[in-house]
Amino acid sequence: MSSFRTLDELPAEQRVLVRLDLNSPVEDGVVQDNRRFSRHAETIAELAEAGHRVALMAHQGRPGRDTFVSLEQHADILAEHAGVDVDFVAGTFGDDAVAAVRDLDAGDVLLLENTRMTDDELPEKDPEEHAASDFVETLAPEFDAYVNDAYSAAHRKHASLVGFPLKLPSYAGRVMETEYEANTAIAEREFDGDVTMVVGGTKATDVIGVMEALDEKVDRFLLGGVAGELFLRAADYPVGEDVDTELFDEQWDANEETIRSVLEERSEQVALASDLAYEDADGERAEVAVDDVVEKTQSFLDIGSDTVADYEPIVRDSEAVFVKGALGVFEDERFSVGTVGVLEAIAETDCFSVVGGGDTSRAITMYGMDEDDFSHVSIAGGAYIRALTGEPLPAVELLIQSAETDA
Ligand code: 3PG
Ligand code: MG
């Protein structure tokens, strides 16, 4: 199998340009610390300790959104995790940025400003076109090597992700390496026993696409969240409709045909909830068997306890479990039973396990589970979905191509 080069192959004393994914939640202008910082910190510490001159690039938000902010705060958060100083320069490839890059000594780390503040970054373009942009043409000559650690942004064809590999010897950072291996496992690895996929969350359209693409690879799908209710709706239960939400009807229209065909052709592959949880008149968690739902009058916020009990043994008997999406609104402790129950069952077994999607993996920290009990907790969302279905990631392809061209 063709592959990319890793930091193990990076020559000594390089001037390295490193692409990270530090895209983070921002609340009232304050950047929220999250796994992306702690993960990338390891790559940075390794490069700094090895004595390379390190310039970092990353994006934050998109123009027009309130998450579109400077990376100044990111530098401090990153420094704290990495245990090395991270300087910040308020430019991406202007004169100040280039001067700061030229000023780097061995072991220094510098973070350049939000790549999406340049006009060259965002348009989805072919690598050749990006490689000819001012952004890439200006920065590339200042470096000996390019390291891409931004697996979670690798589905984007942006300048900082696909332009530089055409100009510089390119390497995968540690996060890129780990994420790539774990997230492609479902598409590339052969497992001896059953492969189970936990499918939930609110983006039903995404996960239903994954289910369709993975029918040969996955033995059992355990459903919850919005997709779970839509499947129940297809099985003629009066659930999966919008009462006080706007999550169901539109995604039903978009996926009805696929859902019906999955249920018709492979119903034994799909495990649906036998009970659901909702908030009763006293604000307490209450549960109802799906057979007893006569009419949908309130929102369901979690799978029920019987369903968790049905799902646990399936998890325990699996050789591999991949999680995409939460089974309920776990942020509210009353409705965390499904998500936490299934994650704990995964943690307790020694199956190969990957938990993907920024949101779901937050439940692990929130409810005091140990990340080490999972084979991999991914920091990727869109890239994780694409990896599961075996869709190539442009920025990863470029790393592989760079390794082949230089070989
Ligand atoms: C992410 O946060 O999922 C990646 O960084 C990609 O960001 P984008 O969806 O704004 O392109
Ligand atoms: Mg485990």
Side-chain angles (χ1 to χ4, degrees):
M1 194 190 78
S2 53
S3 196
F4 41 58
R5 286 173 294 210
T6 70
L7 297 187
D8 297 331
E9 289 142 282
L10 183 66
E13 294 180 24
Q14 299 276 287
R15 297 172 299 160
V16 282
L17 179 63
V18 185
R19 177 56 156 101
L20 309 175
D21 185 1
L22 301 177
N23 198 29
S24 299
V26 178
E27 280 167 29
D28 299 324
V30 181
V31 175
Q32 307 294 303
D33 194 359
N34 65 87
R35 269 196 191 82
R36 286 184 173 170
F37 286 99
S38 50
R39 292 283 173 81
H40 285 302
E42 291 182 33
T43 301
I44 292 157
E46 179 179 344
L47 290 168
E49 276 155 26
H52 300 293
R53 293 165 159 77
V54 185
L56 309 171
M57 299 187 284
H59 73 275
Q60 173 62 55
R62 277 176 187 259
R65 298 198 188 155
D66 46 9
T67 51
F68 185 59
V69 298
S70 162
L71 296 189
E72 192 170 0
Q73 299 173 64
H74 299 66
D76 294 335
I77 303 174
L78 205 50
E80 210 163 289
H81 284 287
V84 298
D85 286 343
V86 177
D87 285 334
F88 170 74
V89 60
T92 310
F93 66 92
D95 293 346
D96 288 354
V98 171
V101 166
R102 288 186 182 162
D103 244 17
L104 289 170
D105 288 324
D108 282 354
V109 181
L110 169 74
L111 177 60
L112 303 170
E113 183 57 290
N114 189 347
T115 53
R116 290 185 181 175
M117 290 184 174
T118 73
D119 293 338
D120 288 345
E121 170 74 345
L122 265 178
E124 290 267 333
K125 281 191 201 163
D126 287 339
E128 291 73 17
E129 255 184 282
H130 273 311
S133 65
D134 286 346
F135 179 9
V136 176
E137 294 265 10
T138 307
L139 275 191
E142 305 296 328
F143 295 93
D144 307 307
Y146 169 77
V147 172
N148 192 344
D149 213 25
Y151 177 86
S152 49
H155 53 307
R156 306 290 184 213
K157 278 163 68 178
H158 298 158
S160 62
L161 293 156
V162 299
F164 290 98
L166 295 187
K167 297 283 196 177
L168 291 164
S170 300
Y171 303 82
R174 296 302 181 201
V175 174
M176 171 67 78
E177 206 185 331
T178 315
E179 289 274 354
Y180 179 77
E181 205 193 312
N183 299 346
T184 52
I186 204 167
E188 314 233 324
R189 255 175 81 166
E190 288 289 333
F191 293 99
D192 291 337
D194 283 351
V195 176
T196 297
M197 176 160 232
V198 178
V199 168
T202 54
K203 292 180 190 159
T205 300
D206 286 356
V207 293
I208 290 166
V210 170
M211 287 175 70
E212 210 186 12
L214 288 177
D215 63 331
E216 307 267 302
K217 299 275 182 177
V218 173
D219 298 289
R220 290 302 285 279
F221 293 99
L222 308 182
L223 272 83
V226 172
E229 278 197 60
L230 293 179
F231 270 78
L232 285 168
R233 176 170 171 174
D236 285 335
Y237 293 99
V239 304
E241 296 160 36
D242 286 310
V243 173
D244 40 29
T245 54
E246 280 179 33
L247 284 168
F248 295 97
D249 294 335
E250 215 172 281
Q251 299 200 84
W252 169 256
D253 290 341
N255 298 290
E256 178 180 354
E257 214 176 305
T258 312
I259 294 172
R260 288 195 187 285
S261 91
V262 170
L263 272 186
E264 244 157 64
E265 285 157 35
R266 322 188 250 122
S267 66
E268 71 294 336
Q269 228 180 1
V270 181
L272 299 180
S274 59
D275 60 347
L276 294 167
Y278 60 95
E279 181 179 34
D280 71 11
D282 301 323
E284 306 279 335
R285 176 190 175 100
E287 300 188 345
V288 60
V290 292
D291 283 328
D292 296 337
V293 181
V294 185
E295 186 193 353
K296 191 176 184 194
T297 53
Q298 74 276 88
S299 291
F300 295 113
L301 299 166
D302 194 8
I303 56 173
S305 316
D306 288 347
T307 305
V308 178
D310 291 341
Y311 286 0
E312 278 168 348
I314 300 175
V315 165
R316 275 199 292 274
D317 291 341
S318 299
E319 183 74 19
V321 183
F322 293 81
V323 180
K324 178 62 195 116
L327 297 176
V329 186
F330 69 83
E331 292 85 349
D332 182 332
E333 202 176 344
R334 295 169 300 167
F335 303 107
S336 65
V337 174
T339 306
V340 172
V342 168
L343 285 174
E344 280 177 346
I346 297 171
E348 281 160 17
T349 63
D350 56 7
C351 63
F352 177 81
S353 58
V354 183
V355 181
D359 284 343
T360 319
S361 53
R362 251 189 326 127
I364 293 174
T365 328
M366 223 174 142
Y367 292 100
M369 287 173 267
D370 187 348
E371 207 172 299
D372 292 341
D373 287 334
F374 302 87
S375 309
H376 182 62
V377 177
S378 177
I379 54 171
Y384 177 65
I385 296 243
R386 284 168 180 78
L388 291 177
T389 60
E391 212 181 297
L393 301 171
V396 172
E397 298 292 292
L398 266 294
L399 287 182
I400 295 171
Q401 195 181 307
S402 169
E404 282 167 355
T405 317
D406 298 345

